[in-house]
Structures are given as C-alpha cells and as structure tokens.
Amino acid sequence: MSEWLVLTLAMLAACAVVVVITLVRHRTAAEDDDPSETPDVIEYMTMWIGVVYAIVLGLAIAGVWEARVAAQDHVQAEAQALHEISERVRVYPPDVRDRVRADVNAYVGHVVTTEWKTMADHGRVTQRGDQLLDRVRADVTDYRPASDFEAQAYQPLVDQVAAADQARAARADSTGATMPGVVWFGLIAGAVVTIGMVFALQIRRTTRELVLAGLFSALIAFLLFLIWDFDAPYSRGVSASTAPFLDLFPHIGG
C-alpha cells in the first residue's frame, strides 16, 4: 500500500469520524438544547489551525536548513581530506609526490568546474569524478614506503583517502531534494486551509484588514519559498558552495 493511499484513507477516515459524531450528536440532542449558547468554535479552530501549521512550517524549515548545513559540512570534510593528502605526501620522493598532487588537483578541478554543475542540474555526481578519486587512492595505496619515515606517513595518508571517499559519498547522497512529496502536499494544503480560514471569518473590505490579510498570505508564501530554496542543498539560491575547495586549493580555477 503506497503512502499516498494511506494518507488519503487516513484523511477520509478522520473526516468521516467528525461527520458521524456531529450527526449522531445532533440527532440525540435534547429538545431544549440551544446551540446558540455554545461558544463559537470558528475562532478557536482558526487559532489552532494557525498554531499547528506554524509548528509544521518551523519543523520543515529546520529540517531543510539542517540538510543544507550538513551538505556544506560534507564539502568541507572532503576538501580538508584532499588538502591533507596533498600536504602530507611531501615526505615521499619527488616523482611520487608530484603525481599524487597532480591527481588531487585534477580531481578538485573536475569537482569545481564540471561536477558541481552536474549536481545542480541533474542531482548526481559524475562517473569521471569517481575515476579521478580512484586514481588518487591508487597513487597512495600502491606506493611502498622506502623508509621508516615514509612508512609513518603511509597510514595517515590512507586514512585521509578514506575520509575523502566517505565525504564524497555523503555529498552524493545529499544532492537531491530532502523534502518528500507527501510533506510538500501537507505544506501546500495547510497553506490553503490557513489562508482560507481568513475568508471563513468573513473578512471585511477595510484597508486595514486587507493589508493584514495580504501580509499574512505573503508571509506564508515567503516561508514556503524558503523551504523550497533550501530543499536542494547544491542547486538553488542559498546553497552549499565550492568555497572550501577554492580556499584550500586557490590555484584551481572556479
């Protein structure tokens, strides 16, 4: 059973329960029952709809912002690991050192100039990036240390390669949207209901009320846009950037 079917059934069941209870209560009410003495529930319902929707919006914004921060952390961790490889390899012979650094630079250059655009446009990393990182791994792991000093640097270099690979995998997992469709359905439906309650209260056409209603609707629209903008950590306005790579490898063109 799909999540959309479960959601539809749950919503229909909730509505049905409310309707049945209301009808049963109406039919079993006493003859002297005066509905006019019952407090008006419209304002009460409006208040709670607004409160619940505000909580949902807050959780959604916090979720997408946390995903965006995590995406930037993945980039920082990957860039730092590659920088450590490039620096620590200096204890190796010049030919090995230069080869490792050249392959690291090639990988960083590919990420900054090519892979980042692919992530933004298609929500995935490139196969070429995988190949370039595998080349860095082979450079580091296939070398046999010729002295105790080189042997002491070997394992930390291998660990940094593993850290870069792990950060790359985390970056690949976070390229797409973080909010599932069912959540977007709830956010949009909640916005329609919340704004619709303004009309349920029979808003008058005074300037003050029209301005307040417009500002209220604009605020909800802004918050929904904010969630949408943060939802794709690498491709929209306030997105994770390549700054960590460019800061640690300033010779790489962006």
Side-chain angles (χ1 to χ4, degrees):
M1 185 178 295
S2 68
E3 61 179 8
W4 288 104
L5 180 58
V6 173
L7 174 62
T8 302
L9 293 176
M11 294 176 66
L12 291 176
C15 293
V17 169
V18 172
V19 172
V20 169
I21 292 177
T22 302
L23 292 176
V24 170
R25 183 178 179 183
H26 177 71
R27 292 184 177 182
T28 58
E31 294 182 358
D32 57 348
D33 184 26
D34 186 5
S36 62
E37 296 181 357
T38 303
D40 189 0
V41 298
I42 292 183
E43 293 185 2
Y44 177 80
M45 292 173 59
T46 303
M47 179 192 70
W48 275 108
I49 288 174
V51 170
V52 171
Y53 188 63
I55 294 174
V56 173
L57 278 178
L59 292 176
I61 293 174
V64 294
W65 176 256
E66 182 179 358
R68 189 264 178 198
V69 172
Q72 189 66 49
D73 290 342
H74 299 327
V75 177
Q76 181 66 49
E78 184 179 4
Q80 186 63 46
L82 292 168
H83 178 70
E84 289 296 322
I85 294 172
S86 184
E87 290 298 320
R88 295 189 183 196
V89 80
R90 65 186 179 186
V91 302
Y92 283 3
D95 57 331
V96 178
R97 177 193 63 205
D98 294 342
R99 183 174 67 251
V100 172
R101 287 180 174 176
D103 288 340
V104 169
N105 291 337
Y107 172 76
V108 173
H110 174 77
V111 170
V112 171
T113 60
T114 302
E115 187 168 77
W116 209 266
K117 188 176 186 304
T118 302
M119 291 166 54
D121 295 341
H122 305 290
R124 59 177 176 81
V125 296
T126 62
Q127 186 176 3
R128 177 60 177 167
D130 294 334
Q131 295 172 351
L132 291 174
L133 185 59
D134 288 340
R135 184 184 300 175
V136 174
R137 180 186 292 106
D139 291 340
V140 173
T141 58
D142 292 351
Y143 177 71
R144 294 185 178 181
S147 65
D148 291 341
F149 185 53
E150 293 180 1
Q152 291 176 2
Y154 177 80
Q155 188 58 48
L157 280 170
V158 173
D159 293 341
Q160 292 301 324
V161 171
D165 185 56
Q166 183 178 5
R168 174 181 173 79
R171 174 164 61 87
D173 291 338
S174 59
T175 53
T178 57
M179 299 289 287
V182 65
V183 176
W184 273 114
F185 172 78
L187 290 174
I188 296 174
V192 172
V193 172
T194 303
I195 296 175
M197 292 303 294
V198 174
F199 300 96
L201 292 175
Q202 299 180 354
I203 182 174
R204 293 185 293 272
R205 296 183 181 181
T206 63
T207 302
R208 181 177 61 181
E209 291 186 355
L210 289 176
V211 169
L212 289 176
L215 291 176
F216 178 70
S217 303
L219 176 61
I220 291 182
F222 168 74
L223 294 176
L224 290 176
F225 171 80
L226 198 64
I227 295 171
W228 175 84
D229 196 48
F230 287 161
D231 193 29
Y234 296 104
S235 60
R236 293 177 185 151
V238 186
S239 61
S241 69
T242 59
F245 286 109
L246 298 177
D247 290 343
L248 295 174
F249 298 88
H251 53 282
I252 301 296

